[in-house]
Amino acid sequence: MGFGFGMGNLIFSVVPVFIFVVFILVIGTILFSLVSSVKEWNKNNHSPRLDAAAVVVTKRADVSHYHHHHAGHSHAVHSSTSTRYYVTFQFSSGDRQELSVSGHEYGMLAEGDEGTLSFQGTRFLGFKRD
């Protein structure tokens, strides 16, 4: 009889600690992402704006799928997707740089396009074909 009562107390004392640890991990992850984004934004703002001859080497899209279950509705599922687009440019020196671009820019660029790439740090500013 005492065994069941003791385990119940143990569970009730461990659960709040577990929830607190998970909460701290989630908040820590969000803060880390936020600080990383602000650092990259600041670095880009302090980088010079450059124009360089470049060739579009490759393109890729990163698609993320999200499934949201609505509380209290076992059958109600909302799905959404998010797509980020990237283009790799190669400079005359042979160096390559992958930059995140908008969906519109991604659609307008083709592998093999040659032109002038405008960028600031890791921020894509534009591409003009020759």
Side-chain angles (χ1 to χ4, degrees):
M1 282 192 267
F3 179 75
F5 181 73
M7 284 300 288
N9 283 340
L10 178 64
I11 291 172
F12 287 121
S13 65
V14 171
V15 169
V17 172
F18 178 74
I19 291 172
F20 178 73
V21 168
V22 170
F23 175 75
I24 293 300
L25 287 173
V26 169
I27 295 299
T29 301
I30 292 170
L31 287 175
F32 178 78
S33 297
L34 182 63
V35 168
S36 295
S37 296
V38 169
K39 284 174 68 175
E40 183 175 0
W41 175 81
N42 189 44
K43 182 182 174 205
N44 285 339
N45 283 347
H46 288 90
S47 295
R49 293 176 183 238
L50 300 173
D51 295 324
V55 177
V56 175
V57 179
T58 188
K59 298 168 38 173
R60 71 178 178 94
D62 183 17
V63 180
S64 299
H65 301 279
Y66 304 97
H67 301 285
H68 309 281
H69 297 277
H70 296 287
H73 304 300
S74 61
H75 301 296
V77 176
H78 173 73
S79 297
S80 62
T81 59
S82 172
T83 307
R84 297 208 50 188
Y85 300 98
Y86 300 92
V87 177
T88 301
F89 298 93
Q90 182 168 324
F91 304 103
S92 56
S93 65
D95 292 338
R96 292 183 176 197
Q97 184 165 5
E98 182 180 65
L99 299 173
S100 178
V101 299
S102 69
H104 175 75
E105 290 291 341
Y106 182 86
M108 297 299 292
L109 295 170
E111 292 182 12
D113 281 353
E114 297 180 15
T116 302
L117 171 66
S118 298
F119 64 103
Q120 184 177 20
T122 60
R123 185 181 297 146
F124 174 84
L125 300 176
F127 184 80
K128 291 184 184 176
R129 285 176 200 76
D130 289 339

